[in-house]
Amino acid sequence: MSGRALPLLFLNLGGEMLYILDQRLRAQSIPGEKARKDEWTDVDRKRVMNDIITTMFNKKFMEELFKPQELYSKKALRTVYDRLAHASIMRLNQASMDKLYDLMTMAFKYQVLLCPRPKDILLVTFNHLDAIKDFIRDSPGILNQVDETFRQLIEVYGCLSAGEFQLIRQTLLLFFQDMHIRVSIFLKDKVQNSNGRFVLPISGPVPWGTEVPGLIRMYNRNGDEVKRTEFTTDGNYIPPQREGSFDLYGDRVLKLGTNMYSVSRPVETHMSGSSKNLASHAKENVAPNPIAKEELNFLARLLGGLDIKKPGGSETGFRLNLFTTDEEEEYAQAVFRLGFVIKCHVDSPGD
Amino acid sequence: RRRCGRCPPAEPGRPPAPPSCVSFQAAWCVLPARVLLVLTSQKGIQVSSWFLPAQAVFARGIAAAGERFICVGTSSGTVLVFDIPHKGTNVTVSEVLEEHRDAITDIAAELGQGAGDLVTADDAGTLCIWSSGEEFTLLNKIPVVPNIPGRTLPGSRLWNGVVAAGYGNGQIRLYEAATGVLRAEVNAHARWIYALDLAPLTGKLLSGAEDSFVHVWKLSRNPDTDDVEVSPEARTLGREPGAGVGPCELSLARWDRGSVLLGRTASRGVLLPLGGCGAERWKPSGPSPSCCVGAQRSSPWA
């Protein structure tokens, strides 16, 4: 399979993670002067975002990432995001981390599947990066790091053929195969069925470079057109408007990969029935694999300073429960309160 | 000539094979003297019980040609031509065709047609037409059409001196094999065409694409003008309702009543009988299909 899929996988999943974290933290932030010691403020939120983005775009890690290689195993990749999410003062419990990861992966799976052209996966990636740059627009140092990665993407992927992009797409979809976790926001928008499969639209603009189906042209041996016929299709397609920009700045046109959480709406995964999903895709093998362990250690070294600093002195670590528990979710649904509750627990000394 | 493949039967409850052992294609190659199973994977090429290590990152595109050769394409653009003895295991590489610069996507052959019996296609959209023999001769090279960006060629077939090719932008194009002249152009699909097959006796062409549709087309040649005619026949949703993306590779049964089409959706083989001029409903044929299933070009992912 393609040796160039990993950077795209990492950056897009990272982007989705940042969308979710940003939205959750905003929903719970209290104006600075009114906040108690255990509540989130805007300053805290920005700090968390900055810390995670800095870690994500670490120069050495990016260098390693862009080397042609196979995708990491599911376990290894999950560990990367576990550590990334904990790159700052925020702490997530296991359930929250699980749900965060489910949302991230299903969102990116949806984006890959629905890309009109295989090359559009690059536009999706650029959408994520554009948003990340907006998160850290006040920090020129980190902005520089992100721009560097942007340039590297353009350099590496800018001249790949459609066939190579198709192979990347297939590599990514293989990674996501058999993941059918239902996501409320997708179910509500009817882009996902109740069996977890995504809906393929058969209407709308055709990809850039494709003609609307329906025309047959026939030519004689001299190359002159001699006959035309038309046929109807069940789809309702229209010509595309314009091509998205593959430059450092520009209108990407494609909406896939933009922040679908920015309009405040509740987003959660469905627990009912998803326990089967979790069981089927979560545990690949039980026995520890020595190579995998090395892989994870190597990743840990690359991600640099990921030794989680123990909260000490005046700095307290904030533990964040991002999502409701099963029981609370059922309760919430029962009373039509489809928001979610964020609880903050401060690590008390001695924990 | 029958062209079908068989995937290793899935054991119930067993998870799918890990990505490192992805197999790309499987095909039966029927030569006059013997029948062989050719498998390509990341690890290399396997011809029945022989194993030849991979020359490039992956191999893709398999066809039997010229009565005693098997051609296999590679990701570097070369086509390996294997000479298959009537008996025994002495398979040798008789030739390496180095015309393509991009990864081979597909190879198709038309047995017993004389000149112009093999077509090779690549990721850039280039088609090469060859004449098989002791030495394979390049008859024609149809380059990428410049005005349409980023085409790539998953499927191509030969029929009656005509090359039918399906492209990544959803178009089917028919070229005169001998001259390379474009004879017909069909705006067939709204997404990448991943499967193309042809029933030579009835002249039915089948296309499957990521827009989830499967189309059947009728090809004919005007005996006076030699013009190629394409007319649309059946069209159906290429997937079971609620199933997902749909079949990854399709094949028409070679007994050519043009009436049976096989596909493979997410995790099982599916049979889609095509009636006289329409497609009937899906009939799932069970977890391990007992009859031939089109070989997987890529893994079904929905």
Side-chain angles (χ1 to χ4, degrees), chain B residues 4 13 39 63 115 124 138 144 188-189 229 232 247-248 302:
Chain B
C4 60
L39 299 167
L138 177 69
V144 185
H189 291 278
E229 286 252 346
C248 295

Side-chain angles (χ1 to χ4, degrees), chain A residues 50-314:
Chain A
N50 277 9
D51 287 348
I52 294 179
I53 293 171
T54 306
T55 311
M56 203 171 138
F57 288 87
N58 171 278
K59 191 157 190 263
K60 263 187 89 184
F61 182 58
M62 278 296 146
E63 262 170 34
E64 280 304 312
L65 201 69
F66 272 82
K67 290 183 181 161
Q69 60 191 299
E70 297 288 314
L71 291 183
Y72 295 160
S73 67
K74 289 199 172 101
K75 227 196 233 176
L77 196 72
R78 168 63 196 262
T79 307
V80 171
Y81 289 106
D82 279 353
R83 304 212 179 176
L84 205 55
H86 287 95
S88 185
I89 53 174
M90 184 184 71
R91 296 287 171 271
L92 299 176
N93 64 25
Q94 183 68 11
S96 293
M97 192 62 222
D98 284 347
K99 292 192 197 185
L100 172 64
Y101 195 70
D102 285 347
L103 268 183
M104 281 159 57
T105 45
M106 288 310 286
F108 187 45
K109 178 176 177 176
Y110 171 69
Q111 288 152 17
V112 177
L113 204 57
L114 256 71
C115 264
R117 293 176 301 179
K119 187 176 185 181
D120 289 339
I121 191 82
L122 206 53
L123 289 175
V124 172
T125 314
F126 289 168
N127 273 331
H128 281 115
L129 286 186
D130 288 340
I132 289 173
K133 280 166 70 172
D134 191 57
F135 285 139
I136 41 127
R137 62 181 177 278
D138 299 328
S139 316
I142 319 169
L143 200 53
N144 222 18
Q145 269 179 272
V146 179
D147 269 338
E148 258 317 297
T149 304
F150 220 122
R151 278 186 213 104
Q152 207 174 355
L153 279 171
I154 294 173
E155 194 187 302
V156 170
Y157 294 93
C159 49
L160 290 188
S161 69
E164 285 170 292
F165 274 113
Q166 177 69 324
L167 194 65
I168 288 173
R169 178 187 149 84
Q170 288 169 356
T171 308
L172 291 173
L173 289 172
L174 250 182
F175 184 83
F176 293 123
Q177 186 172 356
D178 297 328
M179 286 191 194
H180 297 121
I181 301 157
R182 291 169 302 160
V183 175
S184 295
I185 200 174
F186 290 143
L187 295 170
K188 279 194 198 83
D189 290 346
K190 302 233 186 297
V191 300
Q192 191 180 27
N193 294 328
S194 56
N195 63 0
R197 264 72 169 175
F198 289 116
V199 176
L200 273 179
I202 54 172
S203 61
V206 290
W208 189 258
T210 295
E211 306 271 346
V212 174
L215 186 63
I216 304 175
R217 277 176 286 216
M218 287 158 272
Y219 306 90
N220 66 15
R221 61 169 75 95
N222 298 325
D224 308 313
E225 188 180 309
V226 291
K227 191 171 174 191
R228 259 187 196 217
T229 47
E230 290 189 20
F231 60 93
T232 51
T233 60
D234 290 327
N236 188 14
Y237 296 106
I238 54 175
Q241 271 199 321
R242 60 189 189 283
E243 196 181 12
S245 161
F246 288 92
D247 296 326
L248 201 58
Y249 302 97
D251 180 8
R252 313 295 173 198
V253 180
L254 194 66
K255 293 287 161 260
L256 293 171
T258 55
N259 194 344
M260 62 180 173
Y261 308 99
S262 56
V263 177
S264 91
R265 42 202 302 197
V267 184
E268 60 231 21
T269 55
H270 263 221
M271 283 312 288
S272 49
S274 71
S275 53
K276 287 185 215 156
N277 292 327
L278 281 172
S280 62
H281 81 82
K283 309 285 172 276
E284 283 179 358
N285 59 19
V286 178
N289 180 345
I291 297 173
K293 200 156 169 261
E294 268 316 296
E295 208 176 68
L296 297 179
N297 289 339
F298 179 58
L299 279 172
R301 284 199 300 276
L302 282 179
L303 282 168
L306 274 197
D307 308 310
I308 293 164
K309 291 175 182 54
K310 273 220 173 108
S314 55

Side-chain angles (χ1 to χ4, degrees), chain B residues 104-137:
Chain B
I104 301 293
T105 51
D106 200 16
I107 304 182
E110 204 175 11
L111 286 181
Q113 283 296 312
D117 61 338
L118 183 83
V119 61
T120 55
D122 70 24
D123 253 357
T126 307
L127 290 170
C128 285
I129 299 156
W130 309 81
S131 202
S132 68
E134 282 290 337
E135 250 184 57
F136 277 59
T137 337

